[in-house]
């Protein structure tokens, strides 16, 4: 019997997944969590074989950070991401955090069940197109931005000026300009609009 912990901030999704997983004899859901923090606590207490985790979990830590924390537990459960988001940065981030696989929510229920079985057995679970993108991304890694640089990018995408960003982040305009210079260099762009475009295309924001 493979035990499973469900992590999704939507109760109706957790209910549907529980029905699918518990329908057979080989898998059993032993717990549910709505947040990453709750998932980490429950996983430490329940010790599931597999954690089926969404990528976006509302407030609190996201699925990637949750995955990293879960994989640091002893014993560490396998983590299978099940989400609607498939941007390269998110897929790569999850795999780099230790996820055993990455599935999209529009797959057939049988694929999810088989994915859980394979993750529990130590296999990597990726759709063929995602596997190709992961391999490509590992060969040509995405630029590494700091959390503050990503925060600045998000404000840029909302149309904020340097002064508004400085006021919001409680820093000087000079500091914002310094962050922008680093962002432009890392993304190999020469304008705010190009920085936003590249960041959105690669899933950085």
């Amino acid at each position: 019997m493979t035990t499973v912990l469900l992590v999704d901030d939507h109760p109706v999704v957790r209910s549907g997944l529980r029905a699918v997983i518990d329908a057979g004899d080989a898998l059993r859901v032993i717990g549910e969590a709505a947040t990453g923090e709750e998932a980490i606590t429950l996983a430490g207490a329940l010790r599931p074989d597999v954690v089926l985790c969404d990528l976006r979990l509302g407030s609190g830590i996201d699925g990637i950070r949750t995955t990293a924390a879960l994989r640091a537990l002893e014993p560490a459960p396998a983590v299978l991401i099940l989400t609607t988001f498939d941007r390269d940065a998110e897929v790569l981030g999850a795999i780099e955090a230790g996820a055993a696989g990455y599935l999209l929510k529009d797959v057939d229920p049988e694929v999810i069940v088989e994915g859980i079985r394979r993750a529990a057995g130590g296999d990597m679970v990726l759709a063929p197109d995602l596997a190709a993108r992961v391999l490509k991304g590992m060969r040509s890694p995405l630029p590494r931005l700091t959390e503050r640089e990503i925060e600045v990018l998000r404000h840029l995408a909302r149309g904020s000026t340097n002064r508004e960003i400085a006021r919001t982040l409680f820093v000087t305009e000079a500091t914002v300009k310094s962050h922008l210079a680093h962002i432009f260099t890392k993304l190999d762009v020469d304008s705010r609009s190009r920085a936003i475009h590249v960041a959105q295309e690669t899933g950085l924001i």
Side-chain angles (χ1 to χ4, degrees):
M1 176 70 69
T2 297
T3 56
V4 182
L5 172 65
L6 301 178
V7 187
D8 196 291
D9 57 340
H10 295 97
V12 67
V13 173
R14 297 199 305 272
S15 178
L17 289 171
R18 177 183 281 272
V20 168
I21 294 167
D22 285 346
D25 297 327
L27 308 178
R28 180 167 61 92
V29 175
I30 59 171
E32 298 181 18
T35 67
E37 291 85 352
E38 186 181 2
I40 296 163
T41 298
L42 282 178
L46 301 176
R47 297 190 173 186
D49 298 311
V50 178
V51 177
L52 190 63
C53 185
D54 195 1
L55 196 67
R56 306 284 176 86
L57 297 170
S59 59
I61 63 175
D62 62 14
I64 293 176
R65 291 171 62 190
T66 299
T67 296
L70 290 170
R71 294 297 296 162
L73 295 175
E74 185 60 47
V79 181
L80 181 59
I81 299 295
L82 180 67
T83 185
T84 58
F85 304 95
D86 67 344
R87 289 180 174 176
D88 289 359
E90 293 163 332
V91 179
L92 284 168
I95 299 304
E96 289 175 352
Y102 198 107
L103 296 175
L104 300 180
K105 287 182 177 178
D106 59 359
V107 299
D108 292 334
E110 294 80 8
V111 175
I112 297 173
V113 170
E114 180 61 22
I116 293 171
R117 290 190 184 123
R118 289 178 56 197
D123 292 339
M124 176 63 69
V125 184
L126 286 170
D129 62 322
L130 291 183
R133 285 160 54 187
V134 167
L135 182 59
K136 179 181 177 182
M138 288 180 173
R139 288 173 176 167
S140 303
L142 293 169
R144 297 288 184 179
L145 270 61
T146 66
E147 288 189 15
R148 179 47 63 93
E149 287 167 352
I150 290 175
E151 198 171 4
V152 169
L153 266 174
R154 290 195 179 111
H155 284 291
L156 276 186
R158 298 187 190 113
S160 300
T161 64
N162 288 2
R163 179 173 295 181
E164 290 168 339
I165 295 173
R167 188 183 305 119
T168 301
L169 300 183
F170 301 102
V171 296
T172 65
E173 286 188 58
T175 298
V176 173
K177 290 178 181 178
S178 176
H179 285 314
L180 288 174
H182 291 147
I183 290 168
F184 285 11
T185 298
K186 290 180 180 181
L187 297 184
D188 192 23
V189 298
D190 57 7
S191 69
R192 297 162 74 98
S193 61
R194 281 294 300 160
I196 294 167
H197 175 74
V198 171
Q200 291 176 335
E201 284 295 306
T202 57
L204 289 171
I205 60 173

